[in-house]
Amino acid sequence: MWGQQVVFWLLAIAMGAAAIGVVRSRDVVHSVLFLVVVLAGAAAQYILLAAEFVAWVQVLIYIGAVVVLFLFGVMLTRSPMGHDSNRLDNDQRWAAGVVALLIFGVLTALLVDAFGGQQINFGPELVAQGSPQAIGSDLFRTFIVPFEVVSMLLLAALVGAVVMARKD
Amino acid sequence: MTEFYREYLAVAVLIGAALALVGLMLGVGKLIRPVRPQADKYITYEAGSDPVGGWGQSNVRYYVYALLFVIFDVEAVFIFPWAVGLEPLGIFGLVEMVVFILILVLGLVYAWRKGVLRWA
């Protein structure tokens, strides 16, 4: 659909610009704020794909929790909030650019190879598929074991965090 | 489908209105305010006293709380799809969710026993 294409490209350009802002910003806190824009753009892309639940999970977990974690991590570092342009820059920027281009190329080739000719059928059933009800019935009927394994994974993360905290 | 997008169009309009309002207020303020720059005016405001430079390294305890918050946020996300489909999922879903929460409560008890939750 034509309207979706327009919105997709608007979001994609905004996300790309914000992603460049993350690595180019001279203030680490600004980098984190740019990251919020990128993550919010990803959430909007999910909405565009009618994956409503995934979109709001993206907002809740990534913008709500992971970014808070990043901010605390930044505050833990000793570096002053200086506007010293050399502090966050080094000679590896070209190597980093090459790596980024390579990753982009490989991912694009893989995605085109895997889903190149396929079309998503936009309709009410796609919206229903992305609703929390549908995901809940998948999760609690089909994927019971993976769901319970997730709780073990979270438990491991929790214990790891506690052990890390005890060290100080 | 169009119904779904129309609902989110309202969200987009709201976001646009919020951005426009902020831009408008700051823009009008910039237009009508007097500009007399002084070095003192650009110091960070800190409750009337001069700020003490730099940023203090924050306590690692804050980081632990943030980490615990992320874990329980992920737990909450799994509870939502269960809560909206409570009736069709029935007793079996309830048992699954109780097991899920109990395993995580185990972790919380561990954190409690290790004294991480106490602000010493």
Side-chain angles (χ1 to χ4, degrees):
Chain A
M1 281 191 278
W2 191 78
Q4 275 165 319
Q5 293 284 333
V6 172
V7 176
F8 168 80
W9 281 108
L10 282 178
L11 286 170
I13 290 165
M15 281 170 74
I20 290 169
V22 173
V23 288
R24 273 195 55 87
S25 167
R26 287 172 183 179
D27 195 320
V28 202
V29 178
H30 291 178
S31 290
V32 177
L33 294 179
F34 272 121
L35 194 63
V36 170
V37 177
V38 179
L39 294 172
Q45 300 280 24
Y46 287 135
I47 295 274
L48 211 58
L49 288 170
E52 197 178 15
F53 183 68
V54 180
W56 291 111
V57 166
Q58 168 90 6
V59 171
L60 262 179
I61 301 289
Y62 281 92
I63 303 179
V66 172
V67 165
V68 169
L69 200 63
F70 279 179
L71 280 174
F72 277 119
V74 166
M75 299 308 276
L76 269 180
T77 60
R78 214 179 279 275
S79 75
M81 217 189 306
H83 294 276
D84 183 0
S85 57
N86 295 320
R87 190 179 289 277
L88 291 175
D89 203 359
N90 62 39
D91 296 335
Q92 294 170 344
R93 50 161 71 182
W94 296 112
V98 170
V99 170
L101 270 179
L102 268 176
I103 291 175
F104 178 74
V106 168
L107 281 180
T108 310
L110 268 177
L111 281 175
V112 169
D113 187 49
F115 304 105
Q118 290 182 33
Q119 293 266 331
I120 299 177
N121 236 336
F122 282 93
E125 60 281 355
L126 191 72
V127 178
Q129 229 174 46
S131 71
Q133 283 90 343
I135 287 170
S137 97
D138 276 353
L139 204 59
F140 293 95
R141 293 217 174 92
T142 321
F143 302 106
I144 303 164
V145 175
F147 170 69
E148 296 297 350
V149 169
V150 164
S151 72
M152 293 306 291
L153 185 75
L154 288 174
L155 181 67
L158 219 163
V159 172
V162 171
V163 169
M164 230 175 64
R166 298 273 299 164
K167 276 204 169 158
D168 68 320
Chain B
M1 196 67 209
T2 32
E3 184 64 29
F4 176 78
Y5 283 132
R6 199 170 302 129
E7 280 172 26
Y8 275 99
L9 194 64
V11 178
V13 167
L14 201 68
I15 292 172
L19 288 176
L21 200 65
V22 169
L24 195 76
M25 286 196 288
L26 289 178
V28 169
K30 197 178 173 68
L31 277 179
I32 62 177
R33 72 177 173 224
V35 184
R36 295 192 194 89
Q38 287 170 19
D40 281 356
K41 289 181 179 172
Y42 291 92
I43 299 175
T44 308
Y45 179 74
E46 200 175 300
S49 60
D50 284 349
V52 202
W55 89 27
Q57 192 183 10
S58 73
N59 198 324
V60 76
R61 288 185 168 277
Y62 291 114
Y63 193 72
V64 174
Y65 275 93
L67 217 53
L68 292 181
F69 169 60
V70 172
I71 291 163
F72 286 106
D73 209 22
V74 174
E75 184 190 358
V77 153
F78 280 101
I79 294 177
F80 286 126
W82 170 70
V84 291
L86 200 58
E87 279 180 14
L89 292 172
I91 296 290
F92 191 57
L94 182 71
V95 171
E96 277 176 75
M97 186 44 79
V98 166
V99 170
F100 180 76
I101 291 176
L102 274 183
I103 290 175
L104 279 161
V105 165
L106 224 62
L108 190 64
V109 170
Y110 176 74
W112 200 333
R113 294 279 299 179
K114 288 286 176 186
V116 175
L117 301 181
R118 203 180 308 118
W119 195 271

